[in-house]
Amino acid sequence: MEPDATLHLYKRLFLGTNKKVVLKAIVADDDSSTRALLRHPDNSSKGKLPLVMPEPEWLPDPSHRTKVVAKPFYALASLPKNQSTCTNVDAMRLKRYFGYMLKSNRMNGISEVVTASKSVVEHLFNDHIYCDEKWCQPKKEMNEKKKEEGSQSFYRSKKKDKKLY
Ligand SMILES: [Zn+2]
């Protein structure tokens, strides 16, 4: 249903404007059936996009990516305490940090994102070396020489929460 509607809308957009409007990119989740349908038949067995219409580029939906990444955090938080010390608050924070990290690195290359992604867990454990001061207050304060690293008490401890880390 959704894939057919997407194809229909793109055809209307393209043909309705006498081929003047082209869909350059689609920001979406991992919907593979829509992606397959909006390909040329010679590129995909399920493709139904007329050859006269350019295939759109697919860009990941950051909100969807954040939800996908957060799912295992919440799974850890739902385990009994003797199996995991991760709490719902930890999972919520990790999800938020991942969203911040992703947002501040949208225009960066994959190697920069890989490095920045380390901030998600490290920030929870009060280590801000990989953080970006756009979203990390301790990093911002350290850069402004307002505060020494490690002075925030609500972070998890790499020593006390070693198993979680
Ligand atoms: Zn940080």
Side-chain angles (χ1 to χ4, degrees):
M1 184 78 90
E2 185 184 320
D4 293 331
T6 308
L7 179 62
H8 174 76
L9 288 172
Y10 185 22
K11 280 182 177 175
R12 265 184 60 182
L13 180 73
F14 184 76
L15 300 171
T17 60
N18 202 19
K19 304 175 187 175
K20 289 180 182 157
V21 176
V22 173
L23 198 53
K24 183 170 179 356
I26 295 177
V27 177
D29 58 17
D30 301 319
D31 182 356
S32 58
S33 49
T34 303
R35 199 176 287 224
L37 199 67
L38 266 74
R39 300 204 61 196
H40 294 142
D42 50 350
N43 289 339
S44 169
S45 61
K46 294 178 182 172
K48 290 189 177 174
L49 192 68
L51 292 174
V52 68
M53 296 172 66
E55 286 184 0
E57 179 184 356
W58 289 85
L59 301 173
D61 174 2
S63 299
H64 179 72
R65 288 284 183 260
T66 303
K67 281 181 203 163
V68 169
V69 167
K71 207 171 178 182
F73 302 150
Y74 284 103
L76 265 180
S78 71
L79 290 173
K81 283 188 177 179
N82 63 353
Q83 290 179 40
S84 170
T85 58
C86 184
T87 65
N88 267 326
V89 173
D90 292 326
M92 190 182 71
R93 285 180 174 165
L94 289 166
K95 182 181 179 183
R96 189 176 335 129
Y97 303 156
F98 184 84
Y100 294 156
M101 182 281 301
L102 205 56
K103 187 174 183 180
S104 61
N105 283 280
R106 282 183 186 173
M107 304 310 283
N108 290 339
I110 191 71
S111 65
E112 290 161 299
V113 175
V114 167
T115 301
S117 69
K118 294 174 185 171
S119 68
V120 177
V121 171
E122 295 297 329
H123 181 89
L124 186 71
F125 288 87
N126 201 21
D127 187 344
H128 308 283
I129 192 163
Y130 299 106
C131 292
D132 187 322
E133 68 176 51
K134 285 181 206 155
W135 61 268
C136 173
Q137 190 65 25
K139 178 91 171 199
K140 187 176 180 181
E141 290 173 355
M142 274 185 282
N143 289 345
E144 294 170 355
K145 307 280 187 225
K146 282 184 182 173
K147 194 182 284 182
E148 293 294 316
E149 188 171 7
S151 61
Q152 292 279 341
S153 61
F154 65 84
Y155 292 103
R156 289 293 205 139
S157 163
K158 285 185 183 181
K159 287 180 186 168
K160 284 191 336 196
D161 306 305
K162 193 175 181 179
K163 187 181 172 192
L164 178 62
Y165 179 69

